[in-house]
Amino acid sequence: QTHAVSDTPTYYAYIIAVGSPETFSLDSDAYQIDIIAPEANAYDANAVRFTAAAPDYMNRGAGFSSAADSKLFMFNVWVDFKGANATDQRFIIGTGLAGLNIIKNTSNRIDVQAKNSGGTEILRFTSAAQFTNLTGWKHLLCSVNLGTGRVQFLVDGVSSINSITVQTDAAIDFTLSDWSVGGGSSGGSPLDADVADFWVAFGQSIDLASTQNVRKFRDTGGKPQDLGADGSTPTSTMPTVYLHGTTSTWHTNDGSGGGFNLPDNGQIKT
C-alpha cells in the first residue's frame, strides 16, 4: 500500500498473550504496548501429615456450635495420600456413622454418605477418580443441595462422579453429639495423607458449574486460593470447619463449629 506525503499511516498490532493476561494498555502516541499480567496468587497453603500408624486424628468431643440440619453442604481439601491403599480412610465423620461421612473407600474412591436424623441414608455417591499413594496432590471440591437435586464433586476442577446410588430431598443430620476428622472418634479407619486447607460448610452450597465459583477455591494455575482468616471468603459465610495455616495451630478450627482435641497417641506434624 502507498501513501501520499500528507497521509498518516495506520499501525496494527497483533498480541499473543502467554499466561492469559487479563488486561493490557496501549499508548498509541508512542506506538507502545504494555502487557499487564494478572497479579500472581501469593498464597502458600501449609500441609500437615496425618499418619495411619499413630494414628493421627482429631476429635471434637461434642457437637458443632450453631449447627443445624440442612439439605446443603460443601467440602474442600487438598490431599496427597501416602499409604494404606484399598482401606477406608476417613476425612470427617459424625458419631455412629451418622450425619455426614466422607472417606476414601476400599476401592480407592472418595465415598460421600449422608443420613437424616432418623439414621436413614439420604445421599450416597462415589468419585470416578481413584486415589493411591502414587496419585500425588489432588484438590477435592464438593457442593450439594438436596433440595434442588444438585450434587457436584470435582477433582482438580473437573467433575468426577462415578455413581449416585442414593439421593433424597431431605435434611442431613448435622446436629450430632460428636464429630471427628482424620479418623473415627477412637481413631478407626485413619487418614494416611498430607492435608491442606480442610474446609467443610454445613448449610452452604454454591454452584460449581460456575467457573467463577470454582476459582474461589483454586486459581487459574491450579493452586489453592486464600479462603480468608475464618474461611468465609468463598461464600461470605464462615464454614463449620476450617483447618489451615501454621502447623502448630493447624488443628485450631477457624470455622464456626468450635475446636478439636488432639489425642495423646497422635501428633499432626509437617
PDB file of all heavy atoms in Angstrom, residues 89-109:
ATOM      1  N   GLN A  89     -10.351 -44.689  54.672  1.00  0.00           N
ATOM      2  CA  GLN A  89      -9.657 -43.576  55.319  1.00  0.00           C
ATOM      3  C   GLN A  89     -10.657 -42.434  55.461  1.00  0.00           C
ATOM      4  O   GLN A  89     -11.208 -41.965  54.468  1.00  0.00           O
ATOM      5  CB  GLN A  89      -8.444 -43.129  54.501  1.00  0.00           C
ATOM      6  CG  GLN A  89      -7.363 -44.187  54.355  1.00  0.00           C
ATOM      7  CD  GLN A  89      -6.105 -43.638  53.713  1.00  0.00           C
ATOM      8  OE1 GLN A  89      -5.671 -42.511  53.985  1.00  0.00           O
ATOM      9  NE2 GLN A  89      -5.485 -44.435  52.845  1.00  0.00           N
ATOM     10  N   ARG A  90     -10.869 -41.986  56.683  1.00  0.00           N
ATOM     11  CA  ARG A  90     -11.924 -41.030  56.968  1.00  0.00           C
ATOM     12  C   ARG A  90     -11.422 -39.587  56.975  1.00  0.00           C
ATOM     13  O   ARG A  90     -10.458 -39.266  57.656  1.00  0.00           O
ATOM     14  CB  ARG A  90     -12.565 -41.352  58.317  1.00  0.00           C
ATOM     15  CG  ARG A  90     -13.307 -42.675  58.318  1.00  0.00           C
ATOM     16  CD  ARG A  90     -13.736 -43.069  59.714  1.00  0.00           C
ATOM     17  NE  ARG A  90     -14.571 -44.285  59.676  1.00  0.00           N
ATOM     18  CZ  ARG A  90     -14.884 -45.004  60.741  1.00  0.00           C
ATOM     19  NH1 ARG A  90     -14.443 -44.647  61.947  1.00  0.00           N
ATOM     20  NH2 ARG A  90     -15.649 -46.073  60.626  1.00  0.00           N
ATOM     21  N   PHE A  91     -12.123 -38.746  56.220  1.00  0.00           N
ATOM     22  CA  PHE A  91     -11.879 -37.304  56.288  1.00  0.00           C
ATOM     23  C   PHE A  91     -12.659 -36.700  57.449  1.00  0.00           C
ATOM     24  O   PHE A  91     -12.097 -36.031  58.298  1.00  0.00           O
ATOM     25  CB  PHE A  91     -12.315 -36.626  54.974  1.00  0.00           C
ATOM     26  CG  PHE A  91     -11.372 -36.827  53.833  1.00  0.00           C
ATOM     27  CD1 PHE A  91     -11.653 -37.757  52.842  1.00  0.00           C
ATOM     28  CD2 PHE A  91     -10.215 -36.075  53.725  1.00  0.00           C
ATOM     29  CE1 PHE A  91     -10.790 -37.935  51.775  1.00  0.00           C
ATOM     30  CE2 PHE A  91      -9.350 -36.243  52.654  1.00  0.00           C
ATOM     31  CZ  PHE A  91      -9.635 -37.182  51.684  1.00  0.00           C
ATOM     32  N   ILE A  92     -13.973 -36.896  57.447  1.00  0.00           N
ATOM     33  CA  ILE A  92     -14.827 -36.383  58.508  1.00  0.00           C
ATOM     34  C   ILE A  92     -15.957 -37.370  58.729  1.00  0.00           C
ATOM     35  O   ILE A  92     -16.456 -37.986  57.775  1.00  0.00           O
ATOM     36  CB  ILE A  92     -15.382 -34.977  58.177  1.00  0.00           C
ATOM     37  CG1 ILE A  92     -16.137 -34.388  59.386  1.00  0.00           C
ATOM     38  CG2 ILE A  92     -16.229 -34.976  56.925  1.00  0.00           C
ATOM     39  CD1 ILE A  92     -16.465 -32.915  59.240  1.00  0.00           C
ATOM     40  N   ILE A  93     -16.355 -37.525  59.994  1.00  0.00           N
ATOM     41  CA  ILE A  93     -17.388 -38.496  60.318  1.00  0.00           C
ATOM     42  C   ILE A  93     -18.143 -38.053  61.568  1.00  0.00           C
ATOM     43  O   ILE A  93     -17.552 -37.510  62.507  1.00  0.00           O
ATOM     44  CB  ILE A  93     -16.784 -39.902  60.532  1.00  0.00           C
ATOM     45  CG1 ILE A  93     -17.892 -40.944  60.745  1.00  0.00           C
ATOM     46  CG2 ILE A  93     -15.763 -39.910  61.650  1.00  0.00           C
ATOM     47  CD1 ILE A  93     -17.383 -42.362  60.742  1.00  0.00           C
ATOM     48  N   GLY A  94     -19.450 -38.253  61.540  1.00  0.00           N
ATOM     49  CA  GLY A  94     -20.267 -37.993  62.710  1.00  0.00           C
ATOM     50  C   GLY A  94     -20.375 -39.236  63.567  1.00  0.00           C
ATOM     51  O   GLY A  94     -20.155 -40.358  63.104  1.00  0.00           O
ATOM     52  N   THR A  95     -20.694 -39.072  64.839  1.00  0.00           N
ATOM     53  CA  THR A  95     -20.788 -40.191  65.755  1.00  0.00           C
ATOM     54  C   THR A  95     -21.794 -41.235  65.266  1.00  0.00           C
ATOM     55  O   THR A  95     -22.848 -40.896  64.735  1.00  0.00           O
ATOM     56  CB  THR A  95     -21.176 -39.696  67.171  1.00  0.00           C
ATOM     57  OG1 THR A  95     -21.171 -40.803  68.058  1.00  0.00           O
ATOM     58  CG2 THR A  95     -22.552 -39.057  67.179  1.00  0.00           C
ATOM     59  N   GLY A  96     -21.428 -42.512  65.410  1.00  0.00           N
ATOM     60  CA  GLY A  96     -22.311 -43.594  64.995  1.00  0.00           C
ATOM     61  C   GLY A  96     -22.475 -43.714  63.494  1.00  0.00           C
ATOM     62  O   GLY A  96     -23.479 -44.253  63.010  1.00  0.00           O
ATOM     63  N   LEU A  97     -21.479 -43.220  62.729  1.00  0.00           N
ATOM     64  CA  LEU A  97     -21.537 -43.254  61.256  1.00  0.00           C
ATOM     65  C   LEU A  97     -22.765 -42.522  60.731  1.00  0.00           C
ATOM     66  O   LEU A  97     -23.279 -42.821  59.653  1.00  0.00           O
ATOM     67  CB  LEU A  97     -21.531 -44.697  60.726  1.00  0.00           C
ATOM     68  CG  LEU A  97     -20.329 -45.560  61.102  1.00  0.00           C
ATOM     69  CD1 LEU A  97     -20.496 -46.979  60.553  1.00  0.00           C
ATOM     70  CD2 LEU A  97     -19.040 -44.944  60.566  1.00  0.00           C
ATOM     71  N   ALA A  98     -23.258 -41.558  61.510  1.00  0.00           N
ATOM     72  CA  ALA A  98     -24.450 -40.807  61.115  1.00  0.00           C
ATOM     73  C   ALA A  98     -24.047 -39.458  60.531  1.00  0.00           C
ATOM     74  O   ALA A  98     -22.862 -39.154  60.373  1.00  0.00           O
ATOM     75  CB  ALA A  98     -25.370 -40.634  62.314  1.00  0.00           C
ATOM     76  N   GLY A  99     -25.043 -38.642  60.225  1.00  0.00           N
ATOM     77  CA  GLY A  99     -24.767 -37.307  59.699  1.00  0.00           C
ATOM     78  C   GLY A  99     -24.056 -37.361  58.369  1.00  0.00           C
ATOM     79  O   GLY A  99     -24.592 -37.844  57.374  1.00  0.00           O
ATOM     80  N   LEU A 100     -22.819 -36.884  58.345  1.00  0.00           N
ATOM     81  CA  LEU A 100     -22.020 -36.844  57.117  1.00  0.00           C
ATOM     82  C   LEU A 100     -20.755 -37.658  57.320  1.00  0.00           C
ATOM     83  O   LEU A 100     -20.052 -37.495  58.318  1.00  0.00           O
ATOM     84  CB  LEU A 100     -21.658 -35.400  56.762  1.00  0.00           C
ATOM     85  CG  LEU A 100     -20.820 -35.182  55.499  1.00  0.00           C
ATOM     86  CD1 LEU A 100     -21.591 -35.600  54.257  1.00  0.00           C
ATOM     87  CD2 LEU A 100     -20.398 -33.717  55.393  1.00  0.00           C
ATOM     88  N   ASN A 101     -20.467 -38.519  56.377  1.00  0.00           N
ATOM     89  CA  ASN A 101     -19.281 -39.378  56.440  1.00  0.00           C
ATOM     90  C   ASN A 101     -18.585 -39.313  55.085  1.00  0.00           C
ATOM     91  O   ASN A 101     -19.137 -39.754  54.076  1.00  0.00           O
ATOM     92  CB  ASN A 101     -19.702 -40.815  56.760  1.00  0.00           C
ATOM     93  CG  ASN A 101     -18.517 -41.751  56.925  1.00  0.00           C
ATOM     94  OD1 ASN A 101     -17.396 -41.320  57.154  1.00  0.00           O
ATOM     95  ND2 ASN A 101     -18.772 -43.050  56.807  1.00  0.00           N
ATOM     96  N   ILE A 102     -17.377 -38.742  55.055  1.00  0.00           N
ATOM     97  CA  ILE A 102     -16.608 -38.635  53.815  1.00  0.00           C
ATOM     98  C   ILE A 102     -15.324 -39.434  53.987  1.00  0.00           C
ATOM     99  O   ILE A 102     -14.528 -39.148  54.883  1.00  0.00           O
ATOM    100  CB  ILE A 102     -16.281 -37.171  53.474  1.00  0.00           C
ATOM    101  CG1 ILE A 102     -17.570 -36.349  53.342  1.00  0.00           C
ATOM    102  CG2 ILE A 102     -15.466 -37.097  52.177  1.00  0.00           C
ATOM    103  CD1 ILE A 102     -17.332 -34.879  53.082  1.00  0.00           C
ATOM    104  N   ILE A 103     -15.137 -40.438  53.127  1.00  0.00           N
ATOM    105  CA  ILE A 103     -13.990 -41.327  53.250  1.00  0.00           C
ATOM    106  C   ILE A 103     -13.372 -41.592  51.879  1.00  0.00           C
ATOM    107  O   ILE A 103     -13.971 -41.307  50.843  1.00  0.00           O
ATOM    108  CB  ILE A 103     -14.378 -42.683  53.884  1.00  0.00           C
ATOM    109  CG1 ILE A 103     -15.293 -43.471  52.925  1.00  0.00           C
ATOM    110  CG2 ILE A 103     -15.060 -42.490  55.228  1.00  0.00           C
ATOM    111  CD1 ILE A 103     -15.592 -44.887  53.399  1.00  0.00           C
ATOM    112  N   LYS A 104     -12.154 -42.123  51.903  1.00  0.00           N
ATOM    113  CA  LYS A 104     -11.622 -42.827  50.732  1.00  0.00           C
ATOM    114  C   LYS A 104     -11.834 -44.305  51.029  1.00  0.00           C
ATOM    115  O   LYS A 104     -11.359 -44.823  52.028  1.00  0.00           O
ATOM    116  CB  LYS A 104     -10.133 -42.541  50.517  1.00  0.00           C
ATOM    117  CG  LYS A 104      -9.581 -43.247  49.264  1.00  0.00           C
ATOM    118  CD  LYS A 104      -8.133 -42.885  49.005  1.00  0.00           C
ATOM    119  CE  LYS A 104      -7.175 -43.638  49.888  1.00  0.00           C
ATOM    120  NZ  LYS A 104      -7.085 -45.093  49.555  1.00  0.00           N
ATOM    121  N   ASN A 105     -12.581 -44.995  50.159  1.00  0.00           N
ATOM    122  CA  ASN A 105     -13.014 -46.356  50.480  1.00  0.00           C
ATOM    123  C   ASN A 105     -12.032 -47.423  49.994  1.00  0.00           C
ATOM    124  O   ASN A 105     -10.962 -47.114  49.473  1.00  0.00           O
ATOM    125  CB  ASN A 105     -14.435 -46.603  49.959  1.00  0.00           C
ATOM    126  CG  ASN A 105     -14.533 -46.576  48.438  1.00  0.00           C
ATOM    127  OD1 ASN A 105     -13.542 -46.755  47.715  1.00  0.00           O
ATOM    128  ND2 ASN A 105     -15.741 -46.363  47.927  1.00  0.00           N
ATOM    129  N   THR A 106     -12.423 -48.675  50.153  1.00  0.00           N
ATOM    130  CA  THR A 106     -11.540 -49.792  49.800  1.00  0.00           C
ATOM    131  C   THR A 106     -11.318 -49.913  48.295  1.00  0.00           C
ATOM    132  O   THR A 106     -10.431 -50.644  47.863  1.00  0.00           O
ATOM    133  CB  THR A 106     -12.100 -51.112  50.346  1.00  0.00           C
ATOM    134  OG1 THR A 106     -13.438 -51.304  49.849  1.00  0.00           O
ATOM    135  CG2 THR A 106     -12.119 -51.106  51.868  1.00  0.00           C
ATOM    136  N   SER A 107     -12.130 -49.203  47.508  1.00  0.00           N
ATOM    137  CA  SER A 107     -11.908 -49.144  46.055  1.00  0.00           C
ATOM    138  C   SER A 107     -11.064 -47.938  45.669  1.00  0.00           C
ATOM    139  O   SER A 107     -10.922 -47.629  44.486  1.00  0.00           O
ATOM    140  CB  SER A 107     -13.252 -49.097  45.313  1.00  0.00           C
ATOM    141  OG  SER A 107     -13.999 -50.268  45.547  1.00  0.00           O
ATOM    142  N   ASN A 108     -10.532 -47.251  46.674  1.00  0.00           N
ATOM    143  CA  ASN A 108      -9.695 -46.060  46.482  1.00  0.00           C
ATOM    144  C   ASN A 108     -10.450 -44.902  45.852  1.00  0.00           C
ATOM    145  O   ASN A 108      -9.857 -44.026  45.222  1.00  0.00           O
ATOM    146  CB  ASN A 108      -8.452 -46.394  45.645  1.00  0.00           C
ATOM    147  CG  ASN A 108      -7.490 -47.314  46.369  1.00  0.00           C
ATOM    148  OD1 ASN A 108      -7.259 -47.158  47.567  1.00  0.00           O
ATOM    149  ND2 ASN A 108      -6.948 -48.287  45.655  1.00  0.00           N
ATOM    150  N   ARG A 109     -11.775 -44.883  46.037  1.00  0.00           N
ATOM    151  CA  ARG A 109     -12.606 -43.777  45.571  1.00  0.00           C
ATOM    152  C   ARG A 109     -13.084 -42.949  46.771  1.00  0.00           C
ATOM    153  O   ARG A 109     -13.232 -43.482  47.873  1.00  0.00           O
ATOM    154  CB  ARG A 109     -13.829 -44.287  44.796  1.00  0.00           C
ATOM    155  CG  ARG A 109     -13.492 -45.128  43.569  1.00  0.00           C
ATOM    156  CD  ARG A 109     -14.773 -45.571  42.850  1.00  0.00           C
ATOM    157  NE  ARG A 109     -14.498 -46.557  41.825  1.00  0.00           N
ATOM    158  CZ  ARG A 109     -14.118 -46.280  40.575  1.00  0.00           C
ATOM    159  NH1 ARG A 109     -13.994 -45.020  40.201  1.00  0.00           N
ATOM    160  NH2 ARG A 109     -13.875 -47.249  39.713  1.00  0.00           N
TER     161      ARG A 109
END
